[in-house]
Amino acid sequence: MKIVIANQKGGVGKSTTCVLLANYLALDRNEEVVIFDMDQQETVYSKWERDRELYENDPLYEVLKLDLEDYPKYAADLEALKGQTQVIIDMPGRLDDDSILAVIKDADLIICPIAYERSVFESSHVFAHVARHLNADNKIVFLPTRLNKAIKYETKEKVREALAAFGEIAPEIAERVALQRIDTVSISSEAREVVQESFDFIYDRYIR
């Protein structure tokens, strides 16, 4: 599949979700994976490059940089990869570029990391409207991330009700220190415990 990790709001965990999902697919599901980092910050690519220098083992997957303006030239090649590889695309946190809209339109699955704060919800809601307008058949999964179990989110039920009109909401991922220490070669036992239910849900319902 062509799996796009996107939300126009920054700081919701897109790059972290991208790396953790790739590790999960490669290690837990024995899937072939390739990541295309289209975010100008190149967080995923930089992490992968660092890990290649730190660890002697062969990488679990390739991470390639792809400029947004180059996407139309490579769209057919990415489509061809889907028959044998799970293609994961890490997107920038904005919607102000036609190339971004083209990637979202072409996605087989959009994973949209969210939080229950009002500002994040408003951005996520706009993003969902745009994604659905671009492609009525887009499958969208909203992934609540970085949740503090000690906080009662007063907007939680309203957020879930509003977003459910556009797609399913995956099990929540709690904030843990282990999620701030991830790499592109492994999943720690603590990190796996946090993401397992969410990723099993996404894999079983959409990817497999």
Side-chain angles (χ1 to χ4, degrees):
M1 300 184 71
K2 189 185 294 181
I3 304 167
V4 173
I5 314 293
N7 190 331
Q8 68 166 333
K9 179 69 174 176
V12 292
K14 293 190 298 294
S15 296
T16 299
T17 300
C18 181
V19 171
L20 284 168
L21 179 63
N23 292 358
Y24 165 87
L25 291 174
L27 292 170
D28 289 19
R29 298 294 184 169
N30 297 315
E31 296 273 6
E32 294 292 326
V33 176
V34 62
I35 295 177
F36 288 89
D37 191 342
M38 293 191 186
D39 190 345
Q40 64 272 20
Q41 296 181 11
E42 298 181 359
T43 303
V44 175
Y45 181 79
S46 297
K47 186 184 296 293
W48 181 76
E49 281 278 88
R50 180 206 64 192
D51 291 343
R52 289 182 67 193
E53 296 177 2
L54 288 175
Y55 302 102
E56 296 181 356
N57 296 340
D58 291 336
L60 292 177
Y61 43 78
E62 293 292 317
V63 178
L64 304 171
K65 292 186 292 185
L66 183 60
D67 292 335
L68 281 166
E69 58 268 25
D70 290 334
Y71 173 76
K73 293 190 295 185
Y74 294 101
D77 295 331
L78 295 183
E79 194 71 19
L81 277 175
K82 293 193 317 184
Q84 55 193 357
T85 303
Q86 303 295 355
V87 177
I88 304 177
I89 301 176
D90 187 37
M91 298 293 290
R94 53 192 178 88
L95 284 174
D96 59 351
D97 189 303
D98 287 344
S99 297
I100 294 175
L101 301 182
V103 177
I104 292 171
K105 181 179 180 180
D106 288 350
D108 296 307
L109 173 64
I110 298 171
I111 298 177
C112 180
I114 63 168
Y116 294 132
E117 287 85 358
R118 183 177 298 277
S119 62
V120 178
F121 161 66
E122 290 173 351
S123 294
S124 304
H125 199 240
V126 170
F127 173 82
H129 270 284
V130 171
R132 184 60 70 230
H133 175 74
L134 290 170
N135 185 345
D137 296 324
N138 268 343
K139 296 180 176 64
I140 305 175
V141 177
F142 299 99
L143 180 62
T145 62
R146 300 182 174 180
L147 299 186
N148 188 330
K149 295 296 186 179
I151 296 177
K152 181 178 180 181
Y153 296 95
E154 296 182 358
T155 60
K156 177 176 178 178
E157 294 309 318
K158 291 183 179 179
V159 169
R160 293 178 68 89
E161 181 180 352
L163 294 181
F166 300 94
E168 286 197 282
I169 300 174
E172 300 168 351
I173 295 179
E175 178 66 273
R176 295 283 180 83
V177 174
L179 301 185
Q180 301 171 17
R181 300 172 177 168
I182 64 171
D183 55 48
T184 60
V185 299
S186 64
I187 303 179
S188 69
S189 57
E190 184 181 0
R192 179 177 272 105
E193 179 183 343
V194 179
V195 304
Q196 188 86 51
E197 183 181 6
S198 302
F199 288 169
D200 283 350
F201 174 90
I202 293 171
Y203 187 83
D204 292 338
R205 293 182 71 86
Y206 295 97
I207 299 175
R208 179 160 59 184

